[in-house]
Amino acid sequence: TQLLEQSPQFLSIQEGENLTVYCNSSSVFSSLQWYRQEPGEGPVLLVTVVTGGEVKKLKRLTFQFGDARKDSSLHITAAQPGDTGLYLCAGARSSGKLIFGQGTELSVKP
Amino acid sequence: GAGVSQSPSNKVTEKGKDVELRCDPISGHTALYWYRQSLGQGLEFLIYFQGNSAPDKSGLPSDRFSAERTGGSVSTLTIQRTQQEDSAVYLCASSTSGDRGNQPQHFGDGTRLSIL
């Protein structure tokens, strides 16, 4: 059973386009974390959202946590080839254990 | 080094052999987690350590898998009688505390395990 549904799983866009990745669950999490992973490396944390309705911005990336703390989205404005990579959302349990979505493989073509 | 260190980075072994994977967390991090990443399955939680104890080992797939942590630092994940379905990247992460689930986890680069 996949507790965290992430979509889309694959996304190929042109440089300059905008995109949104969604992460949905029927469970409530202590926090929702977004990671980015490059080939051959471990995931690197981008942001943690904790409060329902919270919005955080990281340059061209905007992260939102749903009011009920069950879902989240990542929006990238004017994507660049350097944004290419695997994006992972993860819901945190109170123990800190992370439940990961399937990941979104993003390819931004120049 | 300042980050989480895992060894070996790659391991190829024959089916039926035992393997031991090592994780050196960031100094001072009391919480340590093992995950497995395989094609089609994404990242799956295996076990969580707080200090030397493992309050949550619910993700271990079978009794062939075991893990221990000593001195509140280094952890080893052991897989006995390996099977081909054990082939995956095994990732270790550490954080300052497991409490409340808000602490960022710092990941190592993983051990890529291939079972022939």
Side-chain angles (χ1 to χ4, degrees), chain A residues 2 30-31 33 35 37 40-43 45 48 50 86 88 92-102, chain B residues 33 35 37 41-45 48 56 58 91 98-110 112:
Chain A
Q2 187 64 40
S30 298
S31 69
Q33 301 180 13
Y35 290 81
Q37 186 177 22
E41 298 179 6
L45 181 70
T48 300
V50 178
L86 178 66
L88 297 157
R93 298 299 191 198
S94 57
S95 68
K97 160 185 173 180
L98 294 177
I99 308 297
F100 281 88
Q102 301 98 320
Chain B
Y33 306 83
Y35 297 89
Q37 187 172 30
Q41 295 295 323
L43 261 151
E44 303 170 282
F45 166 81
Y48 153 58
D56 188 347
S58 61
L91 290 158
D99 292 344
R100 295 178 287 119
N102 298 340
Q103 300 304 316
Q105 293 188 18
H106 301 265
F107 283 81
D109 287 338
R112 182 174 297 277

Side-chain angles (χ1 to χ4, degrees), chain B residues 77-99:
Chain B
L77 176 68
T78 301
I79 309 173
Q80 295 178 309
R81 305 181 303 281
T82 52
Q83 303 293 313
Q84 287 186 331
E85 62 262 28
D86 299 335
S87 296
V89 176
Y90 289 81
L91 290 158
C92 176
S94 70
S95 68
T96 54
S97 170
D99 292 344

Side-chain angles (χ1 to χ4, degrees), chain B residues 45-65:
Chain B
F45 166 81
L46 297 177
I47 187 170
Y48 153 58
F49 286 93
Q50 182 61 42
N52 291 335
S53 63
D56 188 347
K57 53 180 78 171
S58 61
L60 294 178
S62 75
D63 58 8
R64 295 186 295 105
F65 287 72

Side-chain angles (χ1 to χ4, degrees), chain A residues 5 36 42 44 54 57 100 106 109:
Chain A
E5 296 290 338
R36 178 176 163 180
V44 175
E54 183 175 5
K57 292 193 175 184
F100 281 88
L106 172 65
K109 300 185 187 327

